[in-house]
Amino acid sequence: MFITLEGGEGAGKSTAAAGLAAALRAEGQEVLLTREPGGTKGAEAIRALLLNQEIPLDALAQTMLHFAARADHVAELIRPALARGAIVICDRFYDSTMAYQSYGQGVALADVRALITLVRLKPNITFLLKLSEDKAKKRLAARASGTDRYEAMDSAFFTRVQAGFAAIAQAEPARFIQIDASPAPQAVVAAMRAALRERAGR
């Protein structure tokens, strides 16, 4: 099973992904926990370039770099794990590129969809972690790390991104499970685990 987590900055995706992976491992499952952009040596190098706001990159260049990292990630890490029967949990996947680069930055949706077809891998389940802009800002302000290219964007950009995620989820209700990300991390993980059990029972 291939599970992805999506949402805006500060929604707690990394924490939730790690918590879900731990819960599934405790139940005896083999779980690969990974992230995008990143996951492999090559993809992590591209991630460093993408997040470095001191290096100018237009929206199309960012899109192509995301998919270059993704191609390496899928071929070298995700597909082999799925082939051996592992559950793969990925913090972001191609829905983020569509939300950020298409809805947020104006890259044509058709162009991103064309690149998605080249990946030839679709998540089985995607959790969309939803958090208000005010709460997201507070969480970002509390982080010790510096601001990256995307965290530095203005509020209008994030409004477009949130609208993008909503539209993407609405178009694929069978794949998306929307989760309130405002409670404590343990509660978010519990909600995700319950949703997986419900989905498995259908």
Side-chain angles (χ1 to χ4, degrees):
M1 179 178 285
F2 182 28
I3 301 169
T4 57
L5 280 76
E6 298 287 4
E9 305 298 321
K13 294 175 301 302
S14 299
T15 301
L20 181 61
L24 292 172
R25 285 173 183 145
E27 296 172 11
Q29 303 280 0
E30 180 190 353
V31 180
L32 169 67
L33 175 61
T34 188
R35 68 176 183 177
E36 286 215 343
T40 62
K41 187 175 181 179
E44 288 289 340
I46 295 172
R47 178 189 180 90
L49 173 60
L50 274 165
L51 298 186
N52 187 348
Q53 59 181 322
E54 295 180 2
I55 300 174
L57 292 169
D58 73 10
L60 182 58
Q62 292 174 48
T63 301
M64 301 300 284
L65 285 169
H66 276 290
F67 275 95
R70 184 163 297 127
D72 187 65
H73 189 204
V74 168
E76 298 298 323
L77 195 66
I78 295 177
R79 284 195 191 281
L82 292 172
R84 67 175 181 263
I87 295 173
V88 176
I89 298 175
C90 190
D91 177 357
R92 296 197 183 282
F93 200 55
Y94 60 62
D95 297 302
S96 274
T97 311
M98 183 169 284
Y100 277 68
Q101 275 66 54
S102 286
Y103 287 91
Q105 295 181 305
V107 174
L109 285 167
D111 291 343
V112 174
R113 290 190 182 110
L115 290 167
I116 287 172
T117 64
L118 298 178
V119 175
R120 295 184 175 87
L121 181 63
K122 182 178 181 178
N124 300 105
I125 293 173
T126 298
F127 288 107
L128 177 58
L129 273 58
K130 302 180 70 175
L131 188 69
S132 70
E133 186 176 340
D134 287 343
K135 289 183 179 179
K137 285 181 178 178
K138 289 178 182 178
R139 288 184 181 180
L140 289 173
R143 287 182 181 176
S145 60
T147 302
D148 65 36
R149 183 187 305 275
Y150 299 113
E151 290 176 356
M153 296 288 190
D154 60 24
S155 60
F157 170 80
F158 287 112
T159 298
R160 295 193 299 272
V161 167
Q162 294 286 18
F165 276 126
I168 296 165
Q170 186 176 18
E172 292 191 66
R175 174 164 68 92
F176 275 84
I177 298 173
Q178 300 191 43
I179 299 289
D180 179 6
S182 58
Q186 300 94 323
V188 174
V189 172
M192 294 167 63
R193 188 67 195 96
L196 286 177
R197 289 195 184 98
E198 182 183 352
R199 183 66 61 93
R202 288 181 183 176

